[in-house]
Amino acid sequence: MKSQHLSLKIPLLLCALVGCGAGNVVANAKSFRAGVSAITANLGVVIASQVVDQTPGFVGDSRTAYDERKTYDKTIKVSLSTHAFNFGDNLLNHTLTEPVVVVTNRGREHLLMHPRLIGNQSFSIASATSCGQRLAPGAQCTMVLNYTPTASAPNPQRAILDMDFKGVPEGTPQTVAISGITAALPVGQVAPTDNPQVALYTITLPFPGTVTVNFGTDINYGLATWKQSTSVAGGTVNIFVAGMQASTTYHMQAAVAFSNGIMTNDTDHIFTTGAVPASMHFSATTTTTPGMSPQPGLELLNVLNGNPSGVVVTDLSGNVLWTYANPGNAALNFIDGVKMLPDGNFLMTIGRSSGTALNGPSPAGTINEMREVNLAGDTVRSISIAGLNAALATATCAECNVTLDVFHHDVEPLPNGHWLVLANTTLALSSTTTPPLTNTAPTTVLGDVIVDLDQNLTPVWAWNEFNHLDPDRHPFFFPDWTHTNSILYSNDDGNILISIRHQNWILKINYADGAGDGSIIWHLGEGGDFTLIGGTDPTDWEYAQHGPAFFSPNTTGVFSLGVMDNGDDRMFPSGVACGSAGAPPCLYTTVPIWQIDEGAKTATFLFHQKLLANLYSVFGGNVDMLSNGNVEYDLCALVAGGSDIFEVTQDSTPQTVWNMHVYYTNAYRAFRISSLYPGVQW
C-alpha cells in the first residue's frame, strides 16, 4: 500500500515529546497516529481521525487533522433510571412481565454490557425485549424482567439485576435490587345457608382484590353475582349466591381480579339447592306475547292473604328463585312494602292489617316491626313498634310526641341510609277536640304517622296526619280515616309524596330531607289542587289508589307520575248512573300516568289504560316504568281471585308484552328487578 505523507504544523510541546523540530514535519501517517495515540493517552486528548472542515492552524489531509483547541472525554458515562424495582404481589406460577429499568448511554463511545440476574430464580430476563450487549452513544434501552414464582417462600423474594457495564469508571452504579411477594390463591369454600336456594361462597384473597361468583347448571355458568372487594392482604370475601332454582345442582366459580391487574379463577364448586319450603309453594303462569320481548330481569313479589305469604322472587317464566316466609302467624301478621336496598338486603314491614288497630292491642304472638334481612334470610337489623315508641318518648323532634299502634303497608329507604317508616295511631275525636270532628258522632279515629329513622334507627323527624288533615273530610271507610299505603321520596327536592287511600289523594309533604316543617305542598286527586287535563273530572282521578311511582328522571317542576287507581269509590259526573245502560261500570281499575306541572297545577294524561271490569282490583297493587319504556302494573286483588301482573307498551292502545297470573294468594306489590344483585342485569 502506498504510504501517505502529511504535512503538519505541530505545537512545540508535541514536537518536544516526539523529538521533532520547530518547523514543518513530514511524517508517515500511520506511525504518526500511533505516536500521537500514545501521547494523548497521557494527556487526555483525542486526535480526530477525520475533521469535517479545514480549520486555521491545520496543515494537510483533513481526515487526520488534529485540533489542538478541542479535547474529548473518553470516559464512558452511563445512568440507570432506578436502583430498585418491586414487582409487588403475584400469584404462584403466574408470570408478571414489567420494564424495570432504563439504561442511558451518556458518553461518546459504545457501551458494552452483559446483564445477568443473581438471586431468586423466580426472576428472569425477557431477552427479546430487553437491552442487548451493546448500546450506542446517546441511546437508551430498557431491561424487561419476568417474575414467575414457583414457590411461596421466602417472602419477599429478591434478586439483583447486575448490568455488568464494561469500561466504566469505578463506582458507576450497575445494579438494580429486584423484589416481589408471592402467594397461592386458597381454594374457596361453598356452604349452605338457612335459605335452601342460597349458598355462601367464601374465599380469602392473599392480596387486595375483587370477587365475582359465576354460576349456572353447567361449567358455562351464565349468571353472575355482583362484585365484592377486600382492600387488605389476607382479606376474606363472602358472597351469597342466589337466584338458583330449587332442588337443582349448580356449578359455581369465583372470578378474582386483584388490584394490580392480575386475574384468576377459583376451582369449580358444585352446590345442590334444597326444596322450596312447603309454606312458600308458589303457583303462577306466565305468558309472553309472540314477537315481543319483556324487560329482562326477575319479578319481586310481596304476597299475602293466602299461600304463600311473604316474599317471592321468580324468573319471568315463573320459576321460584328466592323466598322469605312470613315469620309469624299468617292469621296475625303479614309482610308489606318489600324493597331491595343498595347493599342487596331486603327491607320490609311486618305487622297486622292496619285497620285492626281500631280493635285494640295486637294479640299475643303478633310480629310488629321493621326488618332488614339478607339473602340468607338472616335479620340484619330491626326495630319493633315497642322499641320505636320507647325512642319516641324521649325524642325531641317536633311531632315525635305520639304513640304508635301498627307498622303497615310501606317503608321508604332513603339515599342517606335513613328509613321513612309508616305506622298508625288512634285519637278520640269530637267537636271539642283538636283537631275537631264536627260532621259525625264522636269516635276513635285511626290516622297515620311517618317517622324518619336515622342510620341508628333513632327517630329524628315525624309527620302526624292529625296535625295536618281535616277529620271532617272522610270520603271512604271512616273511622279508618286515612289508610296511607305508600311513601315516595323525591330525589330532586328531598320532599315526599304519600298515597292516602281513604282520602283518594296523593299528597306532597314538605320533608326537605328532615328539615321540612311537614306542611302539605299540594293535594292530587278529586277535590285537590290540580286541574285534570285530557280526562273527565271527577271520574278519571285516582280512587282508593296504591303504589305511585315517578315516570320521569326528574321529580319536581314538570314531571311524570303514575299510580294504581283501584277505583273502589269512583265518583261520576252529575247525571251519570254507573252500571246503567250506556254508562261505565261502577267498579273498574285504571292505570293513569300524568304529566304533573307543579307551577300551573295541572295533571295532564300521558297514558291512561282503563281495564275491563273483570280486571277490577279491590286493593293493593302498584305501577312502575321499566327500563325499556314499558309500563308494569300489578292487579293485586282480582274479584275472581289471585293477581295479574302485566307489562304493556306505553301506547294509546297498550299492547300486552308479558303477563303473570298468580294463584291462591295476592301479590300486594310486584316489581321487575334486574337481578338479586343491585346493578347486575340478568
Side-chain angles (χ1 to χ4, degrees), residues 156-201:
Q157 297 177 328
R158 303 182 188 278
I160 296 296
L161 173 62
D162 181 6
M163 297 305 300
D164 192 16
F165 298 132
K166 305 300 182 181
V168 296
E170 185 177 353
T172 298
Q174 301 200 42
T175 61
V176 180
I178 308 298
S179 61
I181 295 176
T182 185
L185 177 68
V187 175
Q189 302 295 317
V190 176
T193 68
D194 289 338
N195 188 311
Q197 292 177 261
V198 178
L200 177 62
Y201 200 121

Side-chain angles (χ1 to χ4, degrees), residues 90-111:
N90 195 10
L91 289 177
L92 199 63
N93 298 314
H94 178 268
T95 297
L96 286 177
T97 301
E98 298 285 351
V100 301
V101 64
V102 176
V103 180
T104 303
N105 183 354
R106 302 185 182 280
R108 291 178 174 268
E109 298 288 332
H110 279 83
L111 171 67

Side-chain angles (χ1 to χ4, degrees), residues 511-525:
Y511 167 63
D513 287 325
D517 61 6
S519 58
I520 297 173
I521 297 172
W522 47 250
H523 313 69
L524 179 68

Side-chain angles (χ1 to χ4, degrees), residues 80-94:
L80 300 177
S81 61
T82 186
H83 301 293
F85 184 86
N86 182 8
F87 274 88
D89 303 327
N90 195 10
L91 289 177
L92 199 63
N93 298 314
H94 178 268

Side-chain angles (χ1 to χ4, degrees), residues 596-609:
I596 303 296
D597 188 327
E598 292 186 294
K601 291 295 188 296
T602 57
T604 304
F605 278 107
L606 300 174
F607 175 90
H608 194 200
Q609 185 173 11

